Amino acid sequence: MYKLSKYLIDVDLENGEILLYSTKTGKLICLSEEIYKLIVNKKYNKINDKILYKLFYFQIIISEDENEQELIINDLLNLSSIKNKFLNLTIQPTANCQLGCNYCGQIHEKLNMSESLVTEVYNYIKYKLELGNYKNLNITWYGGEPLLGFSSIKILSEKLILLCSKINVDYSAMMITNGLGLKENIFSDLVHFNILKYQITLDGDKISHDNSRFTKKKGRTFDAILSNIVKAVANPIYDEKKCKIFIRCNVHKDNYKSIDNLIDHLYELGISKKISMNFAPVHDWGKNYAKENVGLAPEYFGELEIEWLLKMKEYGFRHSKSLLPEKKYSTCMVTNLDSELIDAKGRLSYCWEIPYTPEFDYENSEMFHGHILKREYKDRNNLPLGNWYESINQVEYKTTCKNCKFLPVCLGDCPINWYKGFASCPSFKYNIKDLMVLEYINNKEMLNGERYLSN
């Protein structure tokens, strides 16, 4: 017969309806209290076949003899061996950055990719595309500050776009930038290079942002960055090319009270419907102990996040995705052999935190798995975190993931944090029920239609 899945979160709406969210499928459904009681009391014979099918489809109920944890762990172990059709590369065209953010773990240097390295990077990517039979190439430009390596971005983008068109591979690109150099003409050029998505950080209102994200000469940056954002979304190509700007707020004890002011300001500027926002608690990076020094308790951050999301809904901000976490098929670069980072020195690594971070970036570090110029490549499976899902299964690095009901939508969150000795759990673990209600409000029509279950 059947049994109730252990990977469920429930919310009683106190109106005769129950919300159920399955972390195995990442789906939210609404069902009548009557149906819910029948499920809990195992009176499946009183539920019609159509409803039973949907309950089984959404993994609310499962076969009575199913060992859910074992199946999930086995699926994860199998995931690592599946060949991906997407080649995802993060490229750092420079090791430099204008900013000296007080929570940054990188040590910057005035180094850009050389012309010869740019050529070798192109040849390396071309080789991987041809060898791997990929259907998609996605590039993320990262730094340092990638715009300081604009010439490399231009050359590589033009060559890769041409290559992909010749070999019938879909090309897409995004950029993680501090936004300081995103002038109107630069933005137009980047869109021409098919860079259509941008993540830009604003750490609260003007005062709070300028106190944490300043230039290396202690110069203020908020006004210049915001001006660039406003001009970018006003540019006709922003809508024509379906560009997206995501504002990231790194939240800590010194700026959390100013996030409301930032949301208000973006709304007053008339750009709330053009951009998305997300919030992230600061974390330790390169032994800077940011979380210990200025971090918020995760439970409190979860409460604040809900308040900000409610305000964003009121102001009509874009939502880039569902508020609820979706089922994941890979944790990050660490677990995806079709994903890696190429830094400004030509080294290959499998985490954004590795290059230019003294904790990991040193001579003979095991965190680098290759060098394009030297044509040296190592088997990533034999390096630290090389078998992450097996590490979860064996409870290595003091992980608590194996027995957690959020595992299918989290997959360990951030392996490098566990490796450093820090527990790494996403904020939705602490505010999931509020997120469920918010998602219900946002999608009430669907949840009262195809995802509403009642006899």
Side-chain angles (χ1 to χ4, degrees), residues 34-49:
E34 173 199 3
I35 291 288
Y36 185 63
K37 287 181 178 178
L38 291 174
I39 297 170
V40 171
N41 293 317
K42 299 185 177 182
K43 295 182 179 180
Y44 302 112
N45 61 320
K46 294 188 177 182
I47 302 174
N48 73 56
D49 290 344

Side-chain angles (χ1 to χ4, degrees), residues 240-342:
E240 289 171 13
K241 296 294 185 179
K242 298 181 180 179
C243 297
K244 295 180 180 179
I245 288 180
F246 307 90
I247 304 297
R248 175 186 170 103
C249 296
N250 296 310
V251 182
H252 48 81
K253 289 178 181 178
D254 297 331
N255 77 340
Y256 75 94
K257 292 181 180 179
S258 75
I259 304 298
D260 278 309
N261 294 339
L262 173 63
I263 298 172
D264 290 338
H265 190 35
L266 296 174
Y267 172 72
E268 290 161 2
L269 287 171
I271 63 173
S272 59
K273 289 180 169 56
K274 297 267 193 175
I275 61 174
S276 301
M277 290 184 72
N278 61 66
F279 312 95
V282 296
H283 65 282
D284 299 291
W285 183 5
K287 292 187 177 180
N288 62 0
Y289 304 105
K291 183 176 180 180
E292 179 181 329
N293 294 329
V294 295
L296 295 170
E299 295 84 0
Y300 186 48
F301 173 84
E303 292 176 17
L304 293 170
E305 186 179 34
I306 293 298
E307 293 176 10
W308 297 326
L309 290 172
L310 283 168
K311 175 169 276 195
M312 287 169 58
K313 174 178 171 53
E314 178 187 346
Y315 286 165
F317 277 78
R318 270 189 183 183
H319 285 291
S320 58
K321 57 183 180 179
S322 168
L323 293 173
L324 292 170
E326 300 175 346
K327 181 179 178 179
K328 293 179 71 172
Y329 297 91
S330 179
T331 308
C332 58
M333 246 186 280
V334 167
T335 59
N336 184 356
L337 295 178
D338 301 294
S339 180
E340 59 188 351
L341 183 149
I342 306 170

